[in-house]
Amino acid sequence: MTPNNIKKSELEKREAALHSITLTAGALALESYRARQPGDFTLKGQQDFLTEADALVEEHIRQAIYNLFPEDGLLGEETGGSTSNPSLWVVDPIDGTANFARGIDHFCISIAFVHNGDTLLGAIYNPATNEMYLARKDQYVTKNGQALRVSSIRDTHSSSFELGWSTRVPQDIYLAIVSSLLESGTNIRRGASGALALAWVAEGRTDGYAESHMNAWDCLAGLLMVREAGGRTGVYPKTHEEIVHGGPILAVAPGVAEQFANDTMISLAAEHNDQKETNNQRATELELTA
């Protein structure tokens, strides 16, 4: 049996489906992206862009999953869904819609498969750059087939940190976090796609990412990737009921994790002994190859 009592064969079926569905969804998103006209978007709310592609891609994903696994549940950004089923797909059809709408090649499809509150599979795909990130719990995280690992950085003064912004959190909290991060000496950036930000932490492109409130469809796949790449993450809602409401997220390279947890005021999840051993082994490998 695989984690949380799902049969290995059943998980492998969903793993294969996740790969193929993400690719076809990406192709559909890319077609819409290339056909867009400048200024061809509307706003759902403050800095929250709506494009027709969002609904189109989510419906494609929803139908593809239903055809293969009609017994599974699905929670999507655009159309919601029930979380009562123990097997749940959590979908963001296009994360980074502001970039998508403005013709910036930094957006992605993000899909996670969750069983009994535990994220077992994740995919993040930027079709504009053809970068596919895939992860399976306790097995792997890859980008276009190459294994990933977080950065080995230990000095925040040499680090790069991405910080997301949410209208659900008062601006004074956001500004306090910015101030703390600057005092730590990090370079702060904002790419406007939380899912890709997490994938970049897993890849070692950046050393950390935080957002004071993030929805599950934006972050579950990416958080899994960071953990599989040897990074540390914050405490995020785990049950299906909690997942619906979202919460604060933190994902960091282990060498700067404690400092960034203090700066962002987001608690780190406890490390298991096996994760500590993996992190230490990867750190040693990096030192030997440096």
Side-chain angles (χ1 to χ4, degrees), residues 37 39 61 108 138 156 168 187 252:
Q37 298 297 317
I61 294 170
C108 66
D138 298 329
T156 57
R168 300 175 186 86
N187 172 42
V252 282

Side-chain angles (χ1 to χ4, degrees), residues 163-181 210-213 248 262-266:
L163 183 62
W165 173 71
S166 172
T167 57
R168 300 175 186 86
V169 178
Q171 282 193 15
D172 58 346
I173 293 177
Y174 177 81
L175 293 174
I177 294 172
V178 170
S179 179
S180 294
L181 289 169
E211 190 165 334
S212 295
H213 185 280
N262 289 333
D263 291 340
T264 60
M265 298 176 282
I266 300 174

Side-chain angles (χ1 to χ4, degrees), residues 93-116:
I94 300 177
D95 183 57
T97 47
N99 292 336
F100 182 100
R102 295 186 182 277
I104 300 170
D105 292 357
H106 192 73
F107 62 89
C108 66
I109 290 88
S110 179
I111 306 175
F113 174 73
V114 182
H115 189 74
N116 287 334

Side-chain angles (χ1 to χ4, degrees), residues 67-87:
N67 288 343
L68 293 169
F69 311 106
E71 70 278 13
D72 290 359
L74 189 146
L75 176 66
E77 179 184 19
E78 298 303 316
T79 56
S82 172
T83 61
S84 60
N85 195 300
S87 291

